[in-house]
Protein backbone atom coordinates (compact mmCIF):
# COMPACT_ATOMS: atom_id res chain seq x y z
CA UNK A 1 0.00 0.00 0.00
CA UNK A 2 1.55 3.28 -1.11
CA UNK A 3 1.17 6.26 1.18
CA UNK A 4 2.72 9.69 1.57
CA UNK A 5 4.74 9.84 4.78
CA UNK A 6 4.51 13.24 6.48
CA UNK A 7 7.84 14.84 7.47
CA UNK A 8 6.75 14.84 11.12
CA UNK A 9 6.25 11.07 10.99
CA UNK A 10 9.63 10.65 9.30
CA UNK A 11 11.30 12.67 12.03
CA UNK A 12 9.45 10.72 14.73
CA UNK A 13 10.76 7.42 13.36
CA UNK A 14 14.25 8.88 13.02
CA UNK A 15 14.23 9.82 16.70
CA UNK A 16 12.79 6.44 17.66
CA UNK A 17 15.62 4.65 15.86
CA UNK A 18 18.20 6.96 17.37
CA UNK A 19 17.07 5.77 20.80
CA UNK A 20 16.37 2.13 19.99
CA UNK A 21 18.12 -0.25 17.59
CA UNK A 22 15.46 -2.27 15.80
CA UNK A 23 17.68 -3.47 12.96
CA UNK A 24 17.89 -7.03 14.35
CA UNK A 25 14.16 -7.61 13.91
CA UNK A 26 12.95 -9.27 10.68
CA UNK A 27 10.87 -7.03 8.36
CA UNK A 28 7.28 -7.42 9.57
CA UNK A 29 8.22 -7.78 13.23
CA UNK A 30 10.22 -4.59 12.95
CA UNK A 31 7.33 -2.81 11.25
CA UNK A 32 4.91 -3.79 14.02
CA UNK A 33 7.30 -3.04 16.87
CA UNK A 34 8.21 0.37 15.51
CA UNK A 35 4.67 1.45 14.72
CA UNK A 36 3.36 0.35 18.11
CA UNK A 37 6.17 2.26 19.83
CA UNK A 38 5.51 5.24 17.59
CA UNK A 39 1.81 5.24 18.52
CA UNK A 40 2.50 5.18 22.27
CA UNK A 41 5.93 6.83 22.58
CA UNK A 42 6.81 3.85 24.76
CA UNK A 43 10.10 2.11 24.03
CA UNK A 44 9.31 -0.69 26.48
CA UNK A 45 7.08 -2.29 23.85
CA UNK A 46 10.26 -3.52 22.14
CA UNK A 47 10.62 -6.17 24.84
CA UNK A 48 6.96 -6.45 25.82
CA UNK A 49 5.49 -7.48 22.47
CA UNK A 50 5.28 -11.13 21.45
CA UNK A 51 4.87 -12.15 17.81
CA UNK A 52 6.01 -14.64 15.19
CA UNK A 53 7.44 -13.52 11.85
CA UNK A 54 6.06 -16.54 10.04
CA UNK A 55 2.56 -15.82 11.34
CA UNK A 56 2.92 -12.17 10.37
CA UNK A 57 3.96 -13.14 6.85
CA UNK A 58 0.83 -15.25 6.37
CA UNK A 59 -1.37 -12.58 7.96
CA UNK A 60 0.17 -9.90 5.72
CA UNK A 61 -0.71 -11.97 2.66
CA UNK A 62 -4.26 -12.58 3.90
CA UNK A 63 -4.77 -8.90 4.71
CA UNK A 64 -3.62 -7.75 1.29
CA UNK A 65 -5.74 -10.44 -0.34
CA UNK A 66 -8.82 -8.84 1.24
CA UNK A 67 -9.42 -10.83 4.44
CA UNK A 68 -11.97 -9.13 6.74
CA UNK A 69 -10.73 -7.07 9.68
CA UNK A 70 -12.77 -7.27 12.89
CA UNK A 71 -12.28 -4.81 15.76
CA UNK A 72 -13.66 -4.88 19.29
CA UNK A 73 -14.45 -1.15 19.61
CA UNK A 74 -14.96 1.88 17.40
CA UNK A 75 -11.80 3.47 18.81
CA UNK A 76 -9.75 0.74 17.13
CA UNK A 77 -11.72 1.17 13.91
CA UNK A 78 -11.04 4.91 13.98
CA UNK A 79 -7.32 4.22 13.96
CA UNK A 80 -7.52 1.99 10.88
CA UNK A 81 -8.23 4.49 8.13
CA UNK A 82 -7.21 2.51 5.01
CA UNK A 83 -9.40 -0.55 5.42
CA UNK A 84 -13.07 -1.11 6.19
CA UNK A 85 -13.56 -2.90 9.49
CA UNK A 86 -16.32 -4.84 11.21
CA UNK A 87 -17.39 -3.74 14.69
CA UNK A 88 -20.60 -5.17 16.16
CA UNK A 89 -20.42 -3.59 19.61
CA UNK A 90 -23.38 -1.28 18.93
CA UNK A 91 -25.53 -4.29 18.08
CA UNK A 92 -24.49 -6.33 21.08
CA UNK A 93 -26.48 -6.80 24.27
CA UNK A 94 -24.94 -8.16 27.44
CA UNK A 95 -26.46 -11.30 28.92
CA UNK A 96 -25.88 -13.67 31.82
CA UNK A 97 -22.16 -14.38 31.93
CA UNK A 98 -21.56 -12.47 28.70
CA UNK A 99 -20.41 -8.86 28.36
CA UNK A 100 -21.38 -6.65 25.42
CA UNK A 101 -17.83 -6.94 24.11
CA UNK A 102 -17.98 -10.73 24.24
CA UNK A 103 -21.35 -10.80 22.56
CA UNK A 104 -20.01 -8.49 19.84
CA UNK A 105 -17.31 -11.06 19.07
CA UNK A 106 -19.98 -13.70 18.50
CA UNK A 107 -21.95 -11.40 16.23
CA UNK A 108 -18.84 -10.50 14.25
CA UNK A 109 -17.90 -14.15 13.77
CA UNK A 110 -21.40 -14.93 12.55
CA UNK A 111 -20.90 -12.17 9.98
CA UNK A 112 -17.36 -12.80 8.72
CA UNK A 113 -16.70 -16.49 9.41
CA UNK A 114 -13.20 -17.98 9.53
CA UNK A 115 -10.03 -16.42 8.16
CA UNK A 116 -10.41 -12.85 9.42
CA UNK A 117 -7.89 -10.65 11.19
CA UNK A 118 -9.12 -9.74 14.68
CA UNK A 119 -7.90 -6.55 16.35
CA UNK A 120 -8.71 -6.26 20.06
CA UNK A 121 -7.44 -3.21 21.90
CA UNK A 122 -9.92 -2.56 24.66
CA UNK A 123 -11.83 -5.38 26.33
CA UNK A 124 -10.15 -8.50 27.76
CA UNK A 125 -13.56 -10.21 27.69
CA UNK A 126 -13.65 -9.76 23.90
CA UNK A 127 -10.36 -11.61 23.58
CA UNK A 128 -11.47 -14.29 26.02
CA UNK A 129 -14.64 -14.87 24.00
CA UNK A 130 -12.77 -15.00 20.69
CA UNK A 131 -10.67 -17.83 22.10
CA UNK A 132 -13.83 -19.89 22.66
CA UNK A 133 -14.89 -19.57 19.03
CA UNK A 134 -13.71 -21.78 16.20
CA UNK A 135 -12.71 -18.66 14.29
CA UNK A 136 -9.57 -19.98 12.51
CA UNK A 137 -8.18 -16.43 12.37
CA UNK A 138 -5.52 -15.24 9.97
CA UNK A 139 -4.19 -13.24 12.92
CA UNK A 140 -5.31 -12.06 16.34
CA UNK A 141 -3.89 -8.73 17.45
CA UNK A 142 -4.67 -9.05 21.13
CA UNK A 143 -3.62 -5.90 22.97
CA UNK A 144 -6.40 -5.15 25.47
CA UNK A 145 -5.51 -2.86 28.35
CA UNK A 146 -6.37 -2.88 32.03
CA UNK A 147 -5.65 -4.18 35.51
CA UNK A 148 -8.39 -6.83 35.40
CA UNK A 149 -8.01 -9.65 32.92
CA UNK A 150 -5.82 -7.95 30.32
CA UNK A 151 -2.53 -9.72 31.02
CA UNK A 152 -4.35 -12.99 31.67
CA UNK A 153 -6.33 -12.89 28.41
CA UNK A 154 -3.16 -12.17 26.44
CA UNK A 155 -1.38 -15.06 28.13
CA UNK A 156 -4.30 -17.29 27.17
CA UNK A 157 -3.99 -16.08 23.57
CA UNK A 158 -0.33 -17.06 23.47
CA UNK A 159 -1.11 -20.45 25.01
CA UNK A 160 -3.82 -21.06 22.40
CA UNK A 161 -1.30 -21.40 19.60
CA UNK A 162 -3.27 -19.07 17.34
CA UNK A 163 -1.28 -16.70 15.10
CA UNK A 164 -1.07 -13.58 17.20
CA UNK A 165 0.46 -10.30 18.23
CA UNK A 166 0.24 -9.75 21.98
CA UNK A 167 2.19 -8.28 24.85
CA UNK A 168 3.06 -9.55 28.29
CA UNK A 169 2.14 -6.58 30.46
CA UNK A 170 -1.20 -5.02 31.38
CA UNK A 171 -0.73 -2.11 29.00
CA UNK A 172 -2.16 -1.96 25.52
CA UNK A 173 -5.11 -0.06 24.12
CA UNK A 174 -6.93 0.93 20.98
CA UNK A 175 -4.14 3.08 19.55
CA UNK A 176 -1.46 0.39 19.78
CA UNK A 177 -3.80 -2.32 18.48
CA UNK A 178 -4.68 -0.19 15.45
CA UNK A 179 -0.99 0.60 14.97
CA UNK A 180 -0.10 -3.09 14.82
CA UNK A 181 -2.66 -3.68 12.08
CA UNK A 182 -1.57 -0.53 10.23
CA UNK A 183 2.01 -1.78 10.23
CA UNK A 184 0.87 -4.76 8.16
CA UNK A 185 -1.30 -2.59 5.94
CA UNK A 186 1.50 -0.12 5.22
CA UNK A 187 4.24 -2.68 4.68
CA UNK A 188 4.77 -3.08 0.92
CA UNK A 189 4.80 -6.38 -0.94
CA UNK A 190 6.15 -9.57 0.56
CA UNK A 191 8.80 -9.69 3.27
CA UNK A 192 12.35 -9.93 2.00
CA UNK A 193 13.63 -13.31 0.88
CA UNK A 194 15.83 -15.03 3.37
CA UNK A 195 13.76 -14.06 6.40
CA UNK A 196 13.87 -16.88 8.97
CA UNK A 197 10.85 -19.16 8.78
CA UNK A 198 9.79 -18.28 12.30
CA UNK A 199 10.94 -15.40 14.45
CA UNK A 200 9.33 -14.42 17.71
CA UNK A 201 10.01 -11.61 20.11
CA UNK A 202 10.05 -12.31 23.80
CA UNK A 203 10.94 -10.00 26.67
CA UNK A 204 14.61 -9.12 26.41
CA UNK A 205 15.51 -11.49 23.57
CA UNK A 206 15.00 -12.19 19.87
CA UNK A 207 15.10 -15.78 18.65
CA UNK A 208 14.82 -17.48 15.30
CA UNK A 209 13.37 -20.98 15.39
CA UNK A 210 14.53 -23.65 12.97
CA UNK A 211 13.49 -27.25 12.70
CA UNK A 212 16.36 -29.63 13.48
CA UNK A 213 15.54 -33.30 12.86
CA UNK A 214 11.91 -32.64 13.60
CA UNK A 215 12.69 -30.68 16.73
CA UNK A 216 12.97 -26.92 17.39
CA UNK A 217 16.22 -25.23 18.21
CA UNK A 218 16.32 -21.57 19.31
CA UNK A 219 19.28 -19.38 18.49
CA UNK A 220 19.84 -15.70 18.96
CA UNK A 221 19.94 -13.58 15.83
CA UNK A 222 21.78 -10.26 15.71
CA UNK A 223 22.17 -8.05 12.68
CA UNK A 224 24.94 -5.47 12.43
CA UNK A 225 23.40 -3.83 9.38
CA UNK A 226 23.20 -0.07 10.03
CA UNK A 227 20.03 1.91 9.49
CA UNK A 228 19.82 4.28 6.55
CA UNK A 229 20.46 7.94 7.28
CA UNK A 230 17.33 8.66 5.24
CA UNK A 231 14.33 7.92 7.51
CA UNK A 232 11.97 7.40 4.61
CA UNK A 233 14.06 4.43 3.43
CA UNK A 234 13.50 2.69 6.75
CA UNK A 235 9.69 3.06 6.84
Amino acid sequence: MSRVVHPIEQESFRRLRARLDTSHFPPLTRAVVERVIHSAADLEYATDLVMDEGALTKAHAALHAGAPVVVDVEMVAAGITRRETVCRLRDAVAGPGLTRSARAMRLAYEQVGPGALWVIGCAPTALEELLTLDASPALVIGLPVGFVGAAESKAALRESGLPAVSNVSEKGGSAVAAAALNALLYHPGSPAAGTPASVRTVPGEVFSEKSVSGRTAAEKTVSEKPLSEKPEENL
Side-chain angles (χ1 to χ4, degrees):
M1 173 177 291
S2 61
R3 56 187 290 266
V4 176
V5 181
H6 194 279
I8 292 176
E9 182 178 336
Q10 293 183 15
E11 176 63 14
S12 179
F13 274 83
R14 187 195 69 78
R15 295 187 184 191
L16 184 162
R17 291 167 183 149
R19 296 175 62 181
L20 178 70
D21 180 12
T22 61
S23 62
H24 57 283
F25 290 119
L28 290 172
T29 299
R30 183 183 187 185
V32 172
V33 169
E34 288 189 342
R35 195 153 290 278
V36 166
I37 291 173
H38 173 259
S39 73
D42 186 345
L43 297 175
E44 291 182 356
Y45 274 112
T47 54
D48 191 40
L49 288 164
V50 181
M51 66 194 74
D52 179 278
E53 182 73 9
L56 293 181
T57 300
K58 293 177 181 178
H60 180 271
L63 179 65
H64 288 269
V69 176
V70 179
V71 301
D72 63 330
V73 293
E74 293 290 347
M75 285 288 287
V76 175
I80 302 170
T81 59
R82 290 172 177 260
R83 174 62 70 87
E84 293 294 324
T85 61
V86 174
C87 181
R88 298 299 303 273
L89 188 61
R90 291 186 180 183
D91 305 317
V93 178
L98 203 66
T99 66
R100 283 185 65 214
S101 295
R103 177 59 180 161
M105 292 293 100
R106 292 189 183 184
L107 294 176
Y109 178 61
E110 291 171 3
Q111 178 177 339
V112 304
L117 288 86
W118 298 74
V119 188
I120 299 173
C122 182
T125 57
L127 181 52
E128 292 167 357
E129 183 62 24
L130 176 60
L131 296 180
T132 70
L133 303 176
D134 187 21
S136 299
L139 185 71
V140 179
I141 296 175
L143 296 169
V145 61
F147 292 116
V148 179
E152 293 83 355
S153 66
K154 290 178 280 193
L157 172 60
R158 291 189 294 276
E159 292 169 2
S160 74
L162 294 175
V165 174
S166 68
N167 69 305
V168 175
S169 72
E170 296 159 327
K171 62 187 176 184
S174 297
V176 297
L181 190 282
N182 285 336
L184 299 181
L185 272 177
Y186 299 161
H187 198 281
S190 300
T195 297
S198 177
V199 178
R200 58 193 172 94
T201 63
V202 297
E205 298 287 359
V206 180
F207 293 92
S208 68
E209 292 186 348
K210 299 179 181 179
S211 175
V212 181
S213 299
R215 302 180 67 181
T216 298
E219 61 186 32
K220 291 184 183 179
T221 61
V222 180
S223 171
E224 300 298 333
K225 181 180 178 181
L227 296 176
S228 169
E229 293 298 324
K230 299 179 180 180
E232 64 273 15
E233 293 181 358
N234 296 315
L235 292 173

PDB file of all heavy atoms in Angstrom, residues 18 26 33-34 41 43-44 48 54 80 98 102 127 129 145 151 168 171-172 174 185-186 191 200-201 205 225 230:
ATOM      1  N   ALA A  18      17.005   6.443  16.711  1.00  0.00           N
ATOM      2  CA  ALA A  18      18.202   6.962  17.366  1.00  0.00           C
ATOM      3  C   ALA A  18      18.276   6.496  18.822  1.00  0.00           C
ATOM      4  O   ALA A  18      19.363   6.391  19.391  1.00  0.00           O
ATOM      5  CB  ALA A  18      18.210   8.493  17.308  1.00  0.00           C
ATOM      6  N   PRO A  26      13.308  -9.017  12.083  1.00  0.00           N
ATOM      7  CA  PRO A  26      12.949  -9.265  10.680  1.00  0.00           C
ATOM      8  C   PRO A  26      11.886  -8.270  10.223  1.00  0.00           C
ATOM      9  O   PRO A  26      11.286  -7.571  11.048  1.00  0.00           O
ATOM     10  CB  PRO A  26      12.428 -10.705  10.698  1.00  0.00           C
ATOM     11  CG  PRO A  26      12.009 -10.946  12.097  1.00  0.00           C
ATOM     12  CD  PRO A  26      12.903 -10.120  12.966  1.00  0.00           C
ATOM     13  N   VAL A  33       6.683  -3.584  15.663  1.00  0.00           N
ATOM     14  CA  VAL A  33       7.302  -3.044  16.874  1.00  0.00           C
ATOM     15  C   VAL A  33       7.457  -1.528  16.769  1.00  0.00           C
ATOM     16  O   VAL A  33       7.099  -0.777  17.687  1.00  0.00           O
ATOM     17  CB  VAL A  33       8.668  -3.707  17.128  1.00  0.00           C
ATOM     18  CG1 VAL A  33       9.447  -2.964  18.214  1.00  0.00           C
ATOM     19  CG2 VAL A  33       8.486  -5.162  17.539  1.00  0.00           C
ATOM     20  N   GLU A  34       7.977  -1.069  15.651  1.00  0.00           N
ATOM     21  CA  GLU A  34       8.214   0.368  15.510  1.00  0.00           C
ATOM     22  C   GLU A  34       6.915   1.171  15.487  1.00  0.00           C
ATOM     23  O   GLU A  34       6.817   2.233  16.108  1.00  0.00           O
ATOM     24  CB  GLU A  34       9.010   0.641  14.230  1.00  0.00           C
ATOM     25  CG  GLU A  34      10.452   0.198  14.332  1.00  0.00           C
ATOM     26  CD  GLU A  34      11.302   0.653  13.173  1.00  0.00           C
ATOM     27  OE1 GLU A  34      10.736   1.018  12.106  1.00  0.00           O
ATOM     28  OE2 GLU A  34      12.529   0.643  13.317  1.00  0.00           O
ATOM     29  N   ALA A  41       4.701   6.213  22.067  1.00  0.00           N
ATOM     30  CA  ALA A  41       5.934   6.831  22.577  1.00  0.00           C
ATOM     31  C   ALA A  41       6.467   6.052  23.771  1.00  0.00           C
ATOM     32  O   ALA A  41       6.911   6.616  24.764  1.00  0.00           O
ATOM     33  CB  ALA A  41       5.699   8.299  22.942  1.00  0.00           C
ATOM     34  N   LEU A  43       9.067   3.007  24.518  1.00  0.00           N
ATOM     35  CA  LEU A  43      10.103   2.111  24.030  1.00  0.00           C
ATOM     36  C   LEU A  43      10.048   0.729  24.666  1.00  0.00           C
ATOM     37  O   LEU A  43      10.605  -0.227  24.123  1.00  0.00           O
ATOM     38  CB  LEU A  43      11.480   2.726  24.277  1.00  0.00           C
ATOM     39  CG  LEU A  43      11.774   4.050  23.555  1.00  0.00           C
ATOM     40  CD1 LEU A  43      13.118   4.603  24.002  1.00  0.00           C
ATOM     41  CD2 LEU A  43      11.753   3.875  22.045  1.00  0.00           C
ATOM     42  N   GLU A  44       9.378   0.600  25.798  1.00  0.00           N
ATOM     43  CA  GLU A  44       9.314  -0.693  26.475  1.00  0.00           C
ATOM     44  C   GLU A  44       8.573  -1.752  25.655  1.00  0.00           C
ATOM     45  O   GLU A  44       8.731  -2.951  25.908  1.00  0.00           O
ATOM     46  CB  GLU A  44       8.656  -0.543  27.845  1.00  0.00           C
ATOM     47  CG  GLU A  44       9.505   0.227  28.846  1.00  0.00           C
ATOM     48  CD  GLU A  44       8.849   0.311  30.206  1.00  0.00           C
ATOM     49  OE1 GLU A  44       7.687  -0.163  30.341  1.00  0.00           O
ATOM     50  OE2 GLU A  44       9.479   0.843  31.128  1.00  0.00           O
ATOM     51  N   ASP A  48       8.242  -6.019  25.259  1.00  0.00           N
ATOM     52  CA  ASP A  48       6.964  -6.454  25.820  1.00  0.00           C
ATOM     53  C   ASP A  48       6.108  -7.196  24.796  1.00  0.00           C
ATOM     54  O   ASP A  48       5.318  -8.065  25.152  1.00  0.00           O
ATOM     55  CB  ASP A  48       6.202  -5.217  26.341  1.00  0.00           C
ATOM     56  CG  ASP A  48       4.989  -5.577  27.183  1.00  0.00           C
ATOM     57  OD1 ASP A  48       5.068  -6.535  27.981  1.00  0.00           O
ATOM     58  OD2 ASP A  48       3.951  -4.895  27.049  1.00  0.00           O
ATOM     59  N   GLY A  54       6.756 -15.685  10.992  1.00  0.00           N
ATOM     60  CA  GLY A  54       6.056 -16.544  10.043  1.00  0.00           C
ATOM     61  C   GLY A  54       4.560 -16.295  10.045  1.00  0.00           C
ATOM     62  O   GLY A  54       3.922 -16.247   8.987  1.00  0.00           O
ATOM     63  N   ILE A  80      -7.812   2.728  12.109  1.00  0.00           N
ATOM     64  CA  ILE A  80      -7.517   1.986  10.877  1.00  0.00           C
ATOM     65  C   ILE A  80      -8.239   2.693   9.738  1.00  0.00           C
ATOM     66  O   ILE A  80      -9.414   2.446   9.478  1.00  0.00           O
ATOM     67  CB  ILE A  80      -7.966   0.520  11.000  1.00  0.00           C
ATOM     68  CG1 ILE A  80      -7.275  -0.140  12.197  1.00  0.00           C
ATOM     69  CG2 ILE A  80      -7.667  -0.253   9.726  1.00  0.00           C
ATOM     70  CD1 ILE A  80      -7.834  -1.510  12.544  1.00  0.00           C
ATOM     71  N   LEU A  98     -22.077 -12.915  29.987  1.00  0.00           N
ATOM     72  CA  LEU A  98     -21.558 -12.468  28.700  1.00  0.00           C
ATOM     73  C   LEU A  98     -21.607 -10.943  28.630  1.00  0.00           C
ATOM     74  O   LEU A  98     -22.681 -10.345  28.695  1.00  0.00           O
ATOM     75  CB  LEU A  98     -22.378 -13.071  27.560  1.00  0.00           C
ATOM     76  CG  LEU A  98     -21.722 -13.170  26.186  1.00  0.00           C
ATOM     77  CD1 LEU A  98     -20.564 -14.154  26.216  1.00  0.00           C
ATOM     78  CD2 LEU A  98     -22.739 -13.584  25.140  1.00  0.00           C
ATOM     79  N   ALA A 102     -18.017  -9.311  24.591  1.00  0.00           N
ATOM     80  CA  ALA A 102     -17.976 -10.732  24.243  1.00  0.00           C
ATOM     81  C   ALA A 102     -19.065 -11.075  23.244  1.00  0.00           C
ATOM     82  O   ALA A 102     -18.841 -11.804  22.264  1.00  0.00           O
ATOM     83  CB  ALA A 102     -18.115 -11.573  25.508  1.00  0.00           C
ATOM     84  N   LEU A 127     -11.409 -10.651  23.937  1.00  0.00           N
ATOM     85  CA  LEU A 127     -10.361 -11.608  23.580  1.00  0.00           C
ATOM     86  C   LEU A 127     -10.661 -12.986  24.160  1.00  0.00           C
ATOM     87  O   LEU A 127     -10.503 -14.008  23.483  1.00  0.00           O
ATOM     88  CB  LEU A 127      -9.009 -11.103  24.077  1.00  0.00           C
ATOM     89  CG  LEU A 127      -7.787 -11.963  23.763  1.00  0.00           C
ATOM     90  CD1 LEU A 127      -7.702 -12.302  22.281  1.00  0.00           C
ATOM     91  CD2 LEU A 127      -6.516 -11.262  24.232  1.00  0.00           C
ATOM     92  N   GLU A 129     -13.553 -14.262  24.764  1.00  0.00           N
ATOM     93  CA  GLU A 129     -14.645 -14.875  24.003  1.00  0.00           C
ATOM     94  C   GLU A 129     -14.161 -15.362  22.640  1.00  0.00           C
ATOM     95  O   GLU A 129     -14.552 -16.440  22.189  1.00  0.00           O
ATOM     96  CB  GLU A 129     -15.784 -13.881  23.816  1.00  0.00           C
ATOM     97  CG  GLU A 129     -17.008 -14.440  23.105  1.00  0.00           C
ATOM     98  CD  GLU A 129     -17.671 -15.586  23.855  1.00  0.00           C
ATOM     99  OE1 GLU A 129     -17.493 -15.675  25.096  1.00  0.00           O
ATOM    100  OE2 GLU A 129     -18.380 -16.385  23.214  1.00  0.00           O
ATOM    101  N   VAL A 145      -6.202  -3.575  27.284  1.00  0.00           N
ATOM    102  CA  VAL A 145      -5.509  -2.857  28.350  1.00  0.00           C
ATOM    103  C   VAL A 145      -6.322  -2.934  29.637  1.00  0.00           C
ATOM    104  O   VAL A 145      -7.546  -2.996  29.597  1.00  0.00           O
ATOM    105  CB  VAL A 145      -5.290  -1.381  27.937  1.00  0.00           C
ATOM    106  CG1 VAL A 145      -6.616  -0.674  27.685  1.00  0.00           C
ATOM    107  CG2 VAL A 145      -4.473  -0.615  28.973  1.00  0.00           C
ATOM    108  N   ALA A 151      -3.725  -8.880  31.124  1.00  0.00           N
ATOM    109  CA  ALA A 151      -2.529  -9.721  31.015  1.00  0.00           C
ATOM    110  C   ALA A 151      -2.907 -11.200  30.913  1.00  0.00           C
ATOM    111  O   ALA A 151      -2.308 -11.958  30.144  1.00  0.00           O
ATOM    112  CB  ALA A 151      -1.603  -9.487  32.204  1.00  0.00           C
ATOM    113  N   VAL A 168       3.059  -8.864  27.001  1.00  0.00           N
ATOM    114  CA  VAL A 168       3.060  -9.551  28.287  1.00  0.00           C
ATOM    115  C   VAL A 168       2.400  -8.722  29.386  1.00  0.00           C
ATOM    116  O   VAL A 168       1.703  -9.257  30.254  1.00  0.00           O
ATOM    117  CB  VAL A 168       4.502  -9.916  28.691  1.00  0.00           C
ATOM    118  CG1 VAL A 168       4.550 -10.530  30.087  1.00  0.00           C
ATOM    119  CG2 VAL A 168       5.099 -10.881  27.669  1.00  0.00           C
ATOM    120  N   LYS A 171      -0.469  -3.238  29.896  1.00  0.00           N
ATOM    121  CA  LYS A 171      -0.729  -2.106  29.001  1.00  0.00           C
ATOM    122  C   LYS A 171      -1.131  -2.583  27.613  1.00  0.00           C
ATOM    123  O   LYS A 171      -0.975  -3.758  27.259  1.00  0.00           O
ATOM    124  CB  LYS A 171       0.478  -1.185  28.932  1.00  0.00           C
ATOM    125  CG  LYS A 171       1.744  -1.793  28.380  1.00  0.00           C
ATOM    126  CD  LYS A 171       2.882  -0.802  28.550  1.00  0.00           C
ATOM    127  CE  LYS A 171       4.208  -1.405  28.107  1.00  0.00           C
ATOM    128  NZ  LYS A 171       5.316  -0.463  28.362  1.00  0.00           N
ATOM    129  N   GLY A 172      -1.646  -1.664  26.845  1.00  0.00           N
ATOM    130  CA  GLY A 172      -2.156  -1.961  25.518  1.00  0.00           C
ATOM    131  C   GLY A 172      -3.056  -0.808  25.118  1.00  0.00           C
ATOM    132  O   GLY A 172      -2.767   0.340  25.401  1.00  0.00           O
ATOM    133  N   SER A 174      -6.433   0.815  22.340  1.00  0.00           N
ATOM    134  CA  SER A 174      -6.932   0.927  20.976  1.00  0.00           C
ATOM    135  C   SER A 174      -5.883   1.463  20.012  1.00  0.00           C
ATOM    136  O   SER A 174      -5.759   0.988  18.876  1.00  0.00           O
ATOM    137  CB  SER A 174      -8.170   1.829  20.946  1.00  0.00           C
ATOM    138  OG  SER A 174      -9.217   1.278  21.708  1.00  0.00           O
ATOM    139  N   LEU A 185      -0.672  -3.241   7.091  1.00  0.00           N
ATOM    140  CA  LEU A 185      -1.297  -2.586   5.944  1.00  0.00           C
ATOM    141  C   LEU A 185      -0.283  -1.767   5.162  1.00  0.00           C
ATOM    142  O   LEU A 185      -0.280  -1.767   3.924  1.00  0.00           O
ATOM    143  CB  LEU A 185      -2.432  -1.672   6.410  1.00  0.00           C
ATOM    144  CG  LEU A 185      -3.820  -2.253   6.559  1.00  0.00           C
ATOM    145  CD1 LEU A 185      -4.769  -1.193   7.103  1.00  0.00           C
ATOM    146  CD2 LEU A 185      -4.347  -2.792   5.236  1.00  0.00           C
ATOM    147  N   TYR A 186       0.578  -1.039   5.873  1.00  0.00           N
ATOM    148  CA  TYR A 186       1.504  -0.119   5.219  1.00  0.00           C
ATOM    149  C   TYR A 186       2.720  -0.821   4.646  1.00  0.00           C
ATOM    150  O   TYR A 186       3.395  -0.260   3.782  1.00  0.00           O
ATOM    151  CB  TYR A 186       1.991   0.943   6.208  1.00  0.00           C
ATOM    152  CG  TYR A 186       0.924   1.830   6.804  1.00  0.00           C
ATOM    153  CD1 TYR A 186       1.160   2.552   7.972  1.00  0.00           C
ATOM    154  CD2 TYR A 186      -0.329   1.960   6.199  1.00  0.00           C
ATOM    155  CE1 TYR A 186       0.187   3.375   8.525  1.00  0.00           C
ATOM    156  CE2 TYR A 186      -1.310   2.777   6.746  1.00  0.00           C
ATOM    157  CZ  TYR A 186      -1.043   3.485   7.917  1.00  0.00           C
ATOM    158  OH  TYR A 186      -1.998   4.291   8.476  1.00  0.00           O
ATOM    159  N   PRO A 191       7.568  -9.852   2.527  1.00  0.00           N
ATOM    160  CA  PRO A 191       8.805  -9.690   3.275  1.00  0.00           C
ATOM    161  C   PRO A 191       9.996 -10.179   2.456  1.00  0.00           C
ATOM    162  O   PRO A 191       9.871 -11.033   1.582  1.00  0.00           O
ATOM    163  CB  PRO A 191       8.585 -10.576   4.512  1.00  0.00           C
ATOM    164  CG  PRO A 191       7.107 -10.656   4.655  1.00  0.00           C
ATOM    165  CD  PRO A 191       6.564 -10.635   3.256  1.00  0.00           C
ATOM    166  N   ARG A 200      10.244 -14.934  16.704  1.00  0.00           N
ATOM    167  CA  ARG A 200       9.326 -14.423  17.707  1.00  0.00           C
ATOM    168  C   ARG A 200      10.073 -13.514  18.655  1.00  0.00           C
ATOM    169  O   ARG A 200      11.249 -13.734  18.943  1.00  0.00           O
ATOM    170  CB  ARG A 200       8.676 -15.566  18.491  1.00  0.00           C
ATOM    171  CG  ARG A 200       9.643 -16.478  19.184  1.00  0.00           C
ATOM    172  CD  ARG A 200       8.942 -17.744  19.651  1.00  0.00           C
ATOM    173  NE  ARG A 200       9.908 -18.711  20.149  1.00  0.00           N
ATOM    174  CZ  ARG A 200      10.255 -18.827  21.424  1.00  0.00           C
ATOM    175  NH1 ARG A 200       9.717 -18.032  22.318  1.00  0.00           N
ATOM    176  NH2 ARG A 200      11.131 -19.731  21.817  1.00  0.00           N
ATOM    177  N   THR A 201       9.404 -12.475  19.112  1.00  0.00           N
ATOM    178  CA  THR A 201      10.012 -11.615  20.106  1.00  0.00           C
ATOM    179  C   THR A 201       9.514 -12.052  21.466  1.00  0.00           C
ATOM    180  O   THR A 201       8.353 -12.416  21.645  1.00  0.00           O
ATOM    181  CB  THR A 201       9.625 -10.138  19.885  1.00  0.00           C
ATOM    182  OG1 THR A 201       8.214  -9.999  20.045  1.00  0.00           O
ATOM    183  CG2 THR A 201      10.026  -9.672  18.513  1.00  0.00           C
ATOM    184  N   GLU A 205      14.773 -10.679  24.520  1.00  0.00           N
ATOM    185  CA  GLU A 205      15.515 -11.490  23.568  1.00  0.00           C
ATOM    186  C   GLU A 205      14.802 -11.549  22.229  1.00  0.00           C
ATOM    187  O   GLU A 205      13.613 -11.298  22.126  1.00  0.00           O
ATOM    188  CB  GLU A 205      15.674 -12.931  24.080  1.00  0.00           C
ATOM    189  CG  GLU A 205      16.451 -13.044  25.382  1.00  0.00           C
ATOM    190  CD  GLU A 205      17.935 -12.793  25.222  1.00  0.00           C
ATOM    191  OE1 GLU A 205      18.375 -12.549  24.077  1.00  0.00           O
ATOM    192  OE2 GLU A 205      18.654 -12.853  26.218  1.00  0.00           O
ATOM    193  N   LYS A 225      23.684  -4.735  10.490  1.00  0.00           N
ATOM    194  CA  LYS A 225      23.402  -3.829   9.378  1.00  0.00           C
ATOM    195  C   LYS A 225      22.932  -2.483   9.900  1.00  0.00           C
ATOM    196  O   LYS A 225      21.956  -2.407  10.645  1.00  0.00           O
ATOM    197  CB  LYS A 225      22.323  -4.421   8.476  1.00  0.00           C
ATOM    198  CG  LYS A 225      21.987  -3.543   7.268  1.00  0.00           C
ATOM    199  CD  LYS A 225      20.910  -4.192   6.428  1.00  0.00           C
ATOM    200  CE  LYS A 225      20.527  -3.318   5.249  1.00  0.00           C
ATOM    201  NZ  LYS A 225      19.464  -3.921   4.428  1.00  0.00           N
ATOM    202  N   LYS A 230      18.561   8.082   5.766  1.00  0.00           N
ATOM    203  CA  LYS A 230      17.329   8.663   5.239  1.00  0.00           C
ATOM    204  C   LYS A 230      16.143   7.958   5.853  1.00  0.00           C
ATOM    205  O   LYS A 230      15.870   6.790   5.553  1.00  0.00           O
ATOM    206  CB  LYS A 230      17.285   8.527   3.706  1.00  0.00           C
ATOM    207  CG  LYS A 230      18.417   9.230   3.010  1.00  0.00           C
ATOM    208  CD  LYS A 230      18.329   9.040   1.506  1.00  0.00           C
ATOM    209  CE  LYS A 230      19.457   9.739   0.775  1.00  0.00           C
ATOM    210  NZ  LYS A 230      19.369   9.550  -0.690  1.00  0.00           N
TER     211      LYS A 230
END
